[in-house]
Amino acid sequence: MSTLESWQPLTKLGKLVKEGKITSIDEIFENNYKIQEPFIVDALIPNLQTQVLYTRPVQKQTAAGELTRFEALVIVGDKNGHIGVGLGKGRQTRNAINKATLDAKLNLIPVIRGCGSFECSCDRPHSVPYICEGESGSVRIKLIPAPYGVGLVCGEFIKPIFNLAGISDIWTWTKGNTSNRINFALSLYNAFKNLYKFSLL
């Protein structure tokens, strides 16, 4: 028996998903539910992909001396307009990645896609529908719609986020300390969140 089959929901949303009353991840966002169980995402998006973006050792000063742990940054997505970013820490890299993966599933959001470039107007969901911005720490990023075929004009580090979100063409403008990879990734994630919030206005 798989873990998903033996899952016993602890929240109202989890019970609705388990009972088959909610069959789409988009229903959750449309009804403004909050995902509090990672198995909800596993049940509704069976083709969810996971990618480790970054791992690093971190040290904490204790009475017994320095304690070394590991921090991981993980993204999840289905390449069809859904993306999640998560952070996790653990005594071993594997533990940190597992915690970050669970966190990414809980942070899953929809990505509003479209063709907002005046040079294209193909009506295919290959880019973003309009300019949006996001920030985290000192890093600020602006997403600019690009015509079909341009590709991902951005830093190599965040290209996997666009890929798992289902965006193939984009222009980006960044400002701040982009060498801080965690803030770099979170600024893009926040831009996607702002894109979704703006679409609801």
Side-chain angles (χ1 to χ4, degrees):
M1 180 179 291
S2 68
T3 305
L4 187 59
E5 291 174 344
S6 61
W7 168 44
Q8 296 298 321
L10 300 175
T11 62
K12 179 181 178 181
L13 176 60
K15 293 176 182 178
L16 291 174
V17 172
K18 183 75 172 181
E19 293 168 1
K21 295 180 180 179
I22 291 181
T23 58
S24 168
I25 192 72
D26 292 321
E27 288 183 60
I28 293 177
F29 301 126
E30 290 169 2
N31 291 283
N32 202 28
Y33 288 124
K34 183 178 181 180
I35 299 174
Q36 296 178 297
E37 297 181 76
F39 288 122
I40 293 174
V41 177
D42 294 332
L44 298 179
I45 311 181
N47 61 332
L48 191 73
Q49 298 182 36
T50 303
Q51 184 167 344
V52 179
L53 275 188
Y54 180 58
T55 59
R56 66 173 180 177
V58 293
Q59 292 184 330
K60 179 181 179 181
Q61 189 67 40
T62 65
E66 291 184 346
L67 176 65
T68 300
R69 303 178 72 193
F70 295 91
E71 184 175 46
L73 176 67
V74 171
I75 57 173
V76 297
D78 60 356
K79 295 187 176 182
N80 191 32
H82 302 100
I83 193 73
V85 177
L87 288 169
K89 292 181 181 180
R91 292 186 177 182
Q92 297 179 346
T93 305
R94 184 72 259 171
N95 293 339
I97 292 174
N98 289 339
K99 290 181 180 179
T101 302
L102 294 178
D103 188 47
K105 291 178 181 179
L106 297 179
N107 292 328
L108 192 78
I109 60 172
V111 177
I112 307 301
R113 299 177 298 163
C115 179
S117 174
F118 67 92
E119 301 177 52
C120 184
S121 301
C122 67
D123 293 328
R124 284 181 284 188
H126 64 93
S127 188
V128 292
Y130 33 75
I131 295 174
C132 66
E133 297 183 12
E135 60 181 303
S136 178
S138 68
V139 183
R140 180 182 169 194
I141 188 169
K142 180 185 291 186
L143 307 184
I144 305 169
Y148 187 78
V150 167
L152 300 175
V153 184
C154 63
E156 288 293 327
F157 178 71
I158 59 173
K159 282 186 177 181
I161 303 179
F162 284 113
N163 286 329
L164 285 190
I167 292 179
S168 59
D169 304 283
I170 198 76
W171 280 314
T172 62
W173 173 89
T174 56
K175 181 181 180 181
N177 182 21
T178 54
S179 62
N180 186 321
R181 297 187 174 186
I182 292 177
N183 281 341
F184 197 11
L186 290 179
S187 66
L188 175 55
Y189 175 75
N190 289 332
F192 286 145
K193 289 176 69 175
N194 292 335
L195 190 67
Y196 180 66
K197 290 177 182 178
F198 185 78
S199 69
L200 297 178
L201 299 178

